Amino acid sequence: MSTADRSGAPGAGPLTTAQIAAAVGVSVSTVSKVLNGRTDVAAETRARVEGVIRRHGHRRQKQRGTAPAPLLELVFRQMRDAYAIEIINGVQLVAREHRLAVVLSELQGRHTPDRGWVEGVVARRPAGVISVFSGLTDAQSGQLRSRGIPFALVDPGGEPAHASPSVGASNWNGGLTATRHLLGLGHRRIGVLAGPKGSLAARARLDGHRAAMDTAGLPVDPALVRTGDFHAEDGLAHTRELLRLPEPPTAVFACNDAQALGAYRAAAQAGLRIPDDLSVVGFDDLPQVQWTTPPLTTVRQPLTEMAATAATMVVTLAGGGPLRQTRVELATELVVRESTAPPRH
Amino acid sequence: MSTADRSGAPGAGPLTTAQIAAAVGVSVSTVSKVLNGRTDVAAETRARVEGVIRRHGHRRQKQRGTAPAPLLELVFRQMRDAYAIEIINGVQLVAREHRLAVVLSELQGRHTPDRGWVEGVVARRPAGVISVFSGLTDAQSGQLRSRGIPFALVDPGGEPAHASPSVGASNWNGGLTATRHLLGLGHRRIGVLAGPKGSLAARARLDGHRAAMDTAGLPVDPALVRTGDFHAEDGLAHTRELLRLPEPPTAVFACNDAQALGAYRAAAQAGLRIPDDLSVVGFDDLPQVQWTTPPLTTVRQPLTEMAATAATMVVTLAGGGPLRQTRVELATELVVRESTAPPRH
């Protein structure tokens, strides 16, 4: 059940409660209190117990009442649009298969859960935790690990070096493919709505774009690359500016679908038709972009499969099984619809 | 905790386990087995116990271990788009306030939960259950009621006569307001994408439309009213047919936003501009319709508030409090954006 055996020193398996108590020099009931998240233990004692658990892991005794509850925890940094539904559906798929119920939390935009959330999880004793976008602090990971609660991250943000198992998408390939599609249609001046500076996923998509331009022997004009937020409003503002350049782009690669919707608005406001006057490619393939006018050509990010993969990792760890990979990246795929066409000239 | 005291005969409060046992003429342990969902009780005995519980209610004894878990259950018939996110956010709002975690289930399109779902709920002992679109069978309601688990329905479908507390929206008013808006702009021939025949909500919206036409002294041309499903595909097919009529409508009232997106597509395919050549009004106000081109004029259905209201009802019942109302309808509201304008001629 514990995941610590994957990182422990050779031969040093996880310790029983009694062994932890002996190592720290406290009573078994004190160790139990720490394991159960009780607060009536001196901070210094707690720290020593948590330290031993972190180093060696805790082997949970099989006994009635300490088996995990048939729950999976799914925690979002923020739930805003259909993006979240795709992820929930992926987790539900795996949960149903294993007869687990899904507990859903939202951190209202915070990057790490607060203490109340962790205490709730510890009290509910789920089979595992799947987190979307948000990481746990080291202390929080330690708390879950010490209680044998496995944890995996659905990480469209793109950080490959997580301490915990994680699932991402091939963002760089997606950027490459989107731009190659536009180049193949004959576009040479391509605007990029690049997304936030801090996002590795956005950076990877932009680098994929650069690689495609480079391979085609074309320069990337810095005036055509616009960083901003992943919102429709940003797509609108940036595309508006791009269209006012002395030599405007004939195509725009929006690094997410929301910004592509903003680009649509900017084109309409400028009296331009998509794809006749401006081609647009998005990234994500949210359900609604099939129904934009015209339907959006976009890079599909397999959110449902990413979430199902993370849930499967957690269920595997909960069952005591090893993971074949602790970092998985699923392929993105270009979906060609009607928002791209050869440039006019 | 029990809701039965709201419907019982005067002076007949809910019964204790011992009183139920005495009334049926079985042992206390038999009644407990029925209350705990165990299957080793003869069907006929079970039916008699459940019958007494249904008639009189069950007063749960306060004892350690039988207090509800700090959970709210939220069950969807189906989760497809941003519609579901609005509802989840409303429930989370109330759950956070009361320090409850939310367990999410989806019935994959089924109208009533299966037995496995009910057994899971009974085992988790949540503070209450909120169901979206799906009803419970009488037996299922009885199972929850007998265990003191309150239940409320978020019901955009519009059935006012639920046995359980429920929250809906003022669909008829919404239909009236949408059509009055179009009449005020000068439209006389108005197409209606009416939604499914079986949906009371759809029927109420259509009746609101008829009332607006009637009050304005205008006939409703049956050729302009199209029943179908609440999907974009239906909106596309029906609007295409409407636009091919000898005397096509100058405006379309789509009884949900998805169909309005289909109407946009049909207009584009016919070479018509919205709103210059065709006005479109939707119903729902999903987040993405702010970003259609042009932004959609629509009737807002306050899904987040509806869900929060249902969650509050459940929390109130769980706390032993009475409900002021068991059926609540929240107001819809016209949101005027850019998809409506006076007709050309």
Side-chain angles (χ1 to χ4, degrees):
Chain A
M1 184 67 65
S2 167
T3 63
D5 47 352
R6 294 182 299 106
S7 60
L15 306 181
T16 63
T17 306
Q19 289 170 322
I20 296 167
V24 181
V26 295
S27 71
V28 166
S29 93
T30 300
V31 175
S32 292
K33 282 180 183 173
V34 174
L35 286 168
N36 293 319
R38 299 243 314 253
T39 48
D40 52 345
V41 177
E44 192 240 357
T45 308
R46 170 187 301 279
R48 280 163 55 214
V49 172
E50 297 269 12
V52 169
I53 292 171
R54 214 167 20 248
R55 280 193 300 281
H56 300 281
H58 172 234
R59 190 191 320 152
R60 209 193 277 199
Q61 258 76 36
K62 290 258 180 261
Q63 39 178 240
R64 273 180 76 86
T66 62
L71 296 175
L72 276 184
E73 298 270 340
L74 173 60
V75 54
F76 281 88
R77 193 163 85 206
Q78 197 150 40
M79 285 195 305
R80 276 207 314 220
D81 54 21
Y83 202 100
I85 291 291
E86 309 257 295
I87 288 171
I88 293 171
N89 284 338
V91 171
Q92 293 274 15
L93 216 65
V94 176
R96 263 196 299 273
E97 198 180 307
H98 294 274
R99 306 180 67 85
L100 299 168
V102 176
V103 177
L104 187 73
S105 327
E106 200 228 35
L107 305 179
Q108 304 174 271
R110 288 191 307 272
H111 284 262
T112 50
D114 61 10
R115 192 177 154 155
W117 178 82
V118 179
E119 282 171 2
V121 171
V122 167
R124 287 190 290 275
R125 298 181 293 110
V129 174
I130 298 133
S131 163
V132 186
F133 277 117
S134 4
L136 301 181
T137 64
D138 285 350
Q140 290 168 341
S141 315
Q143 276 182 288
L144 294 188
R145 196 157 40 236
S146 68
R147 284 157 190 93
I149 300 173
F151 172 77
L153 195 58
V154 179
D155 175 38
E159 174 59 69
H162 293 290
S164 320
S166 67
V167 184
S170 56
N171 290 301
W172 187 89
N173 286 335
L176 181 87
T177 309
T179 299
R180 280 192 171 164
H181 169 65
L182 293 170
L183 292 171
L185 289 168
H187 294 276
R188 292 299 172 262
R189 284 188 68 72
I190 300 171
V192 183
L193 311 177
K197 265 224 164 65
S199 158
L200 267 184
R203 175 61 198 246
R205 293 168 198 175
L206 176 59
D207 282 351
H209 164 79
R210 283 185 204 284
M213 296 294 282
D214 236 33
T215 318
L218 294 166
V220 172
D221 181 348
L224 296 186
V225 178
R226 304 283 164 143
T227 54
D229 243 331
F230 267 151
H231 303 145
E233 289 80 359
D234 299 271
L236 169 60
H238 288 303
T239 307
R240 202 184 265 159
E241 284 174 28
L242 287 172
L243 295 176
R244 284 177 187 155
L245 289 174
E247 210 183 332
T250 59
V252 168
F253 168 38
C255 287
N256 75 329
D257 283 351
Q259 285 191 102
L261 297 183
Y264 269 51
R265 176 74 52 84
Q269 289 176 350
L272 300 179
R273 294 175 63 95
I274 298 171
D276 312 53
D277 307 314
L278 184 72
S279 285
V280 178
V281 181
F283 202 109
D284 281 338
D285 195 24
L286 298 182
Q288 67 254 36
V289 302
Q290 296 175 44
W291 286 97
T292 52
T293 309
L296 183 67
T297 295
T298 190
V299 178
R300 194 175 111 78
Q301 181 165 211
L303 294 167
T304 302
E305 293 84 346
M306 288 160 68
T309 303
T312 302
M313 283 175 155
V314 155
V315 167
T316 303
L317 290 170
L323 293 181
R324 270 172 303 192
Q325 289 180 280
T326 56
R327 169 70 184 173
V328 174
E329 294 209 346
L330 297 184
T332 53
E333 181 191 7
L334 182 72
V335 182
V336 178
R337 296 199 183 98
E338 298 168 34
S339 65
T340 47
R344 271 200 192 284
H345 42 85
Chain B
M1 184 70 64
S2 166
T3 62
D5 47 352
R6 293 181 301 102
S7 60
L15 306 181
T16 62
T17 305
Q19 288 170 323
I20 294 167
V24 181
V26 295
S27 70
V28 166
S29 93
T30 299
V31 175
S32 292
K33 281 180 184 174
V34 173
L35 286 169
N36 294 318
R38 298 243 314 255
T39 46
D40 52 345
V41 177
E44 191 241 356
T45 309
R46 170 187 301 280
R48 280 162 56 212
V49 172
E50 297 272 12
V52 168
I53 293 171
R54 213 165 24 245
R55 278 193 301 281
H56 300 281
H58 172 233
R59 191 191 319 153
R60 209 192 277 200
Q61 257 76 37
K62 289 263 181 254
Q63 39 181 236
R64 273 180 76 87
T66 61
L71 297 175
L72 275 183
E73 300 271 339
L74 174 59
V75 53
F76 280 90
R77 193 164 83 204
Q78 195 151 42
M79 285 196 305
R80 275 208 314 219
D81 55 20
Y83 202 100
I85 292 290
E86 309 257 295
I87 288 171
I88 293 171
N89 284 338
V91 170
Q92 293 274 13
L93 216 67
V94 175
R96 265 197 297 276
E97 198 180 306
H98 295 275
R99 308 179 67 84
L100 299 168
V102 176
V103 176
L104 187 72
S105 328
E106 199 229 35
L107 305 180
Q108 304 173 269
R110 286 192 307 273
H111 282 261
T112 51
D114 61 11
R115 192 174 154 155
W117 178 82
V118 179
E119 281 170 3
V121 171
V122 166
R124 289 191 287 277
R125 296 182 295 110
V129 174
I130 297 132
S131 164
V132 186
F133 277 118
S134 4
L136 300 182
T137 63
D138 284 352
Q140 291 169 340
S141 315
Q143 276 183 290
L144 294 187
R145 194 158 40 236
S146 68
R147 284 153 192 95
I149 300 173
F151 171 78
L153 195 60
V154 180
D155 174 38
E159 175 59 67
H162 294 292
S164 320
S166 67
V167 184
S170 56
N171 290 301
W172 186 90
N173 286 335
L176 181 87
T177 309
T179 299
R180 280 192 172 164
H181 169 65
L182 292 170
L183 292 172
L185 289 167
H187 294 276
R188 292 298 172 262
R189 283 189 68 73
I190 300 172
V192 184
L193 310 177
K197 265 223 162 67
S199 157
L200 266 183
R203 174 62 198 245
R205 292 168 199 175
L206 175 60
D207 282 352
H209 164 79
R210 285 185 204 282
M213 296 293 283
D214 235 33
T215 319
L218 293 166
V220 172
D221 180 350
L224 294 185
V225 177
R226 304 281 165 146
T227 54
D229 242 332
F230 266 152
H231 303 144
E233 289 80 0
D234 299 271
L236 169 58
H238 288 303
T239 308
R240 201 183 266 158
E241 285 175 26
L242 288 172
L243 295 175
R244 285 179 187 154
L245 289 174
E247 209 183 334
T250 59
V252 167
F253 168 36
C255 287
N256 76 329
D257 283 352
Q259 286 192 101
L261 297 183
Y264 271 50
R265 174 77 49 87
Q269 289 177 350
L272 299 180
R273 297 175 61 94
I274 298 170
D276 312 53
D277 307 312
L278 183 73
S279 285
V280 178
V281 181
F283 202 110
D284 280 340
D285 196 24
L286 298 182
Q288 67 255 35
V289 304
Q290 295 176 46
W291 286 97
T292 51
T293 310
L296 183 67
T297 294
T298 189
V299 177
R300 193 174 113 79
Q301 180 165 212
L303 294 167
T304 302
E305 294 83 347
M306 286 158 70
T309 303
T312 301
M313 281 174 157
V314 155
V315 167
T316 302
L317 290 171
L323 294 181
R324 270 171 305 191
Q325 288 180 280
T326 56
R327 169 70 184 174
V328 175
E329 295 208 346
L330 298 184
T332 53
E333 182 191 7
L334 182 73
V335 182
V336 177
R337 297 201 182 96
E338 297 168 35
S339 64
T340 45
R344 272 199 191 284
H345 42 87

